[in-house]
Amino acid sequence: MTAIEPEGLTKSFANTSAPALDGIDLDIRDGEFVVLLGPSGCGKSTTLRMIAGLEQPSSGFIRFDGQMMNGIPGRDRKVGMVFQNYALYPHMTVEENLSFGLRSRGESKASTAARVGEVLAMLGLAEHAKRRPRELSGGQRQRIALGRALVGRPSVFLMDEPLSNLDANLREQMRMEIARLHTEHGITTVYVTHDQGEALTLADRIVVMDSGKVRQVATPRELYLAPNDTFVAGFIGSPGMNLLRVPLQTLEDAGHGASAVTVSDGLLARLGKNAGEEVVLGVRPEDLRSDGSAAALRLDCRVALVEQFGTHLQVHLTLGAPCGQLPLIAKLPADHDLRRGDMITLYSGESAIRLFDPSTGSRLTEHRHGDLSLALAGQSDSGIAQQRDEVVEAC
Ligand SMILES: Nc1ncnc2c1ncn2[C@@H]1O[C@H](COP(=O)(O)OP(=O)(O)OP(=O)(O)O)[C@@H](O)[C@H]1O
Ligand SMILES: [Mg+2]
């Protein structure tokens, strides 16, 4: 298997002002499942295409296991790639679609047939071997595309939004299939998506990208608990973290009732901040509650909209003056009886609060559940998988 190390990877296309990729450094470990996540146009596909050798960097390097890949054509990189639109040959049968690459690489008829049979069985497609792509369902076509990438025994598996053409149920099924393939074969995988659910469930580590740059590389749990900046904080989570640009003040400083956002004396002291200092205060919708015993943060809000999700309510709120009607979202238990226009006070504990620098957006507070990196370093894979499940549930 293969470690992949892009270094200073930059790509500028002709007739564009900003580079599509702007100095990407990554260290993708042997056998790792890494997801590239970010908004449309942030450079995910361009990164993947350069790793595949389909696109050449304007500057920077890509190494596989320390070996320079610049200038080495894609067919010599032992890479299997799956695209969003499957890119199957419509006039070929399933079997022929899978055989084509091996035969054109000079594999014998017998060994090609054996390998294709193996992959068809692995993906549960043996009975469809003689059909053409148009005679198959979307999910089956997607499996063939996976099979075609696997048949050449790649050392690197690259997938660009492979599930986005499938309906929700099938997407979930295929997601489990991809996770199973990775667990069984341990092929280094780089997977592009803008679906957070996919990223959080599949990834060992997620690379969050924005405007051609890497914002953070971390496990799903680290991203959720300790986002580096306001972009990652707002992007991860469903919905993302509430980010309130406010002066830090206690109920007493504000003069009781005069401010919609106040923190406890204890929190202010522990943060080492002065009252009145402006910060961006981050708190996740699922960390707000209406019971305020010993809370570190207090928010006086007005209900703007209540969405009923069955399991919980998603409540859209506004914080009043002097914060200038800041919007806020809270996930509250389904038994709350709330209507548009109601006033409600919400609270959160200290461990849920993150502070960010208002000018740079960088996180100021350390993660407060102990040292996350230390906690994660000693963990087994199953421990990480369990934490990943917790994060997915929270999102
Ligand atoms: N061949 C090209 N010529 C010019 N600009 C391009 C080309 N390919 C990509 N770009 C630009 O590079 C930037 C990154 O594109 P890329 O396809 O990598 O984004 P992405 O993150 O995969 O987005 P999406 O989620 O929409 O697929 C975009 O601004 C895009 O318009
Ligand atoms: Mg793309």
Side-chain angles (χ1 to χ4, degrees):
M1 300 300 123
T2 302
I4 309 168
E5 298 138 309
E7 187 189 328
L9 207 58
T10 298
K11 180 74 183 179
S12 300
F13 290 104
N15 305 322
T16 54
S17 49
L21 280 190
D22 193 3
I24 301 276
D25 295 321
L26 292 173
D27 155 29
I28 298 168
R29 298 167 199 147
D30 185 8
E32 199 174 18
F33 198 119
V34 165
V35 171
L36 308 184
L37 181 69
S40 186
C42 70
K44 305 179 294 293
S45 297
T46 306
T47 307
L48 207 67
R49 291 172 59 78
M50 286 202 279
I51 296 173
L54 298 171
E55 202 89 69
Q56 290 308 312
S58 307
S59 62
F61 310 99
I62 296 180
R63 294 188 182 83
F64 282 7
D65 285 336
Q67 196 192 336
M68 183 66 76
M69 284 292 124
N70 294 43
I72 296 195
R75 64 177 179 279
D76 296 331
R77 293 190 186 191
K78 294 212 72 184
V79 160
M81 184 141 174
V82 181
F83 299 90
Q84 177 177 352
N85 61 4
Y86 319 142
L88 299 172
Y89 299 112
H91 59 287
M92 291 185 189
T93 64
V94 168
E95 213 166 32
E96 288 162 350
N97 262 286
L98 263 57
S99 312
F100 182 76
L102 293 181
R103 293 290 285 148
S104 54
R105 247 172 35 190
E107 290 265 351
S108 74
K109 221 171 179 173
S111 77
T112 300
R115 177 64 184 153
V116 167
E118 216 173 281
V119 171
L120 285 174
M122 186 199 295
L123 295 170
L125 286 167
E127 62 191 281
H128 305 305
K130 303 290 179 210
R131 294 208 202 164
R132 286 179 215 289
R134 68 169 180 279
E135 297 161 333
L136 297 169
S137 72
Q140 290 162 339
R141 275 180 229 168
Q142 188 55 59
R143 275 209 183 89
I144 299 166
L146 285 176
R148 203 179 46 181
L150 281 172
V151 82
R153 299 184 198 281
S155 309
V156 172
F157 209 1
L158 304 175
M159 294 189 247
D160 195 348
E161 310 224 22
L163 308 185
S164 52
N165 283 347
L166 306 179
D167 68 38
N169 282 342
L170 208 47
R171 210 156 52 215
E172 202 162 309
Q173 237 177 52
M174 289 302 299
R175 196 167 75 193
M176 290 192 303
E177 186 104 332
I178 289 170
R180 179 182 66 80
L181 283 173
H182 183 253
T183 309
E184 284 173 9
H185 299 272
I187 302 173
T188 311
T189 302
V190 188
Y191 186 103
V192 165
T193 183
H194 49 236
D195 179 326
Q196 262 193 61
E198 254 168 66
L200 293 167
T201 46
L202 286 169
D204 292 319
R205 285 189 303 160
I206 297 175
V207 178
V208 182
M209 297 178 65
D210 176 39
S211 309
K213 291 198 163 70
V214 171
R215 291 288 192 142
Q216 189 167 1
V217 184
T219 63
R221 184 170 166 82
E222 281 176 88
L223 280 185
Y224 180 77
L225 289 176
N228 273 352
D229 59 25
T230 47
F231 176 83
V232 178
F235 192 74
I236 298 291
S238 177
M241 192 180 273
N242 292 298
L243 296 164
L244 308 168
R245 188 176 176 141
V246 290
L248 271 178
Q249 49 194 351
T250 63
L251 209 50
E252 205 161 274
D253 300 327
H256 286 260
S259 175
V261 183
T262 51
V263 297
S264 66
D265 293 315
L267 177 65
L268 195 60
R270 277 189 294 281
L271 289 172
K273 296 266 163 210
N274 297 318
E277 214 173 309
E278 191 168 79
V279 293
V280 175
L281 195 151
V283 61
R284 294 206 174 272
E286 51 275 26
D287 289 330
L288 290 168
R289 54 177 198 267
S290 56
D291 149 33
S293 50
L297 174 69
R298 174 190 160 117
L299 303 166
D300 293 310
C301 336
R302 187 179 294 279
V303 174
L305 176 74
V306 180
E307 293 177 288
Q308 176 61 260
F309 276 73
T311 50
H312 66 276
L313 301 178
Q314 189 157 296
V315 188
H316 298 251
L317 306 127
T318 50
L319 284 151
C323 305
Q325 298 281 308
L326 288 174
L328 182 83
I329 297 180
K331 282 185 182 176
L332 298 176
D335 59 2
H336 276 60
D337 182 21
L338 287 173
R339 304 221 159 90
R340 183 185 164 83
D342 286 354
M343 289 302 295
I344 181 172
T345 302
L346 295 176
Y347 304 89
S348 116
E350 188 174 327
S351 64
I353 297 168
R354 304 285 174 273
L355 293 189
F356 301 90
D357 185 312
S359 49
T360 63
S362 301
R363 181 163 48 88
L364 296 169
T365 39
E366 283 312 305
H367 174 62
R368 298 191 74 84
H369 294 303
D371 188 336
L372 186 72
S373 52
L374 274 182
L376 289 172
Q379 264 179 359
S380 64
D381 286 352
S382 65
I384 289 177
Q386 188 194 333
Q387 292 192 337
R388 192 154 55 194
D389 292 346
E390 287 165 14
V391 171
V392 172
E393 221 160 77
C395 290

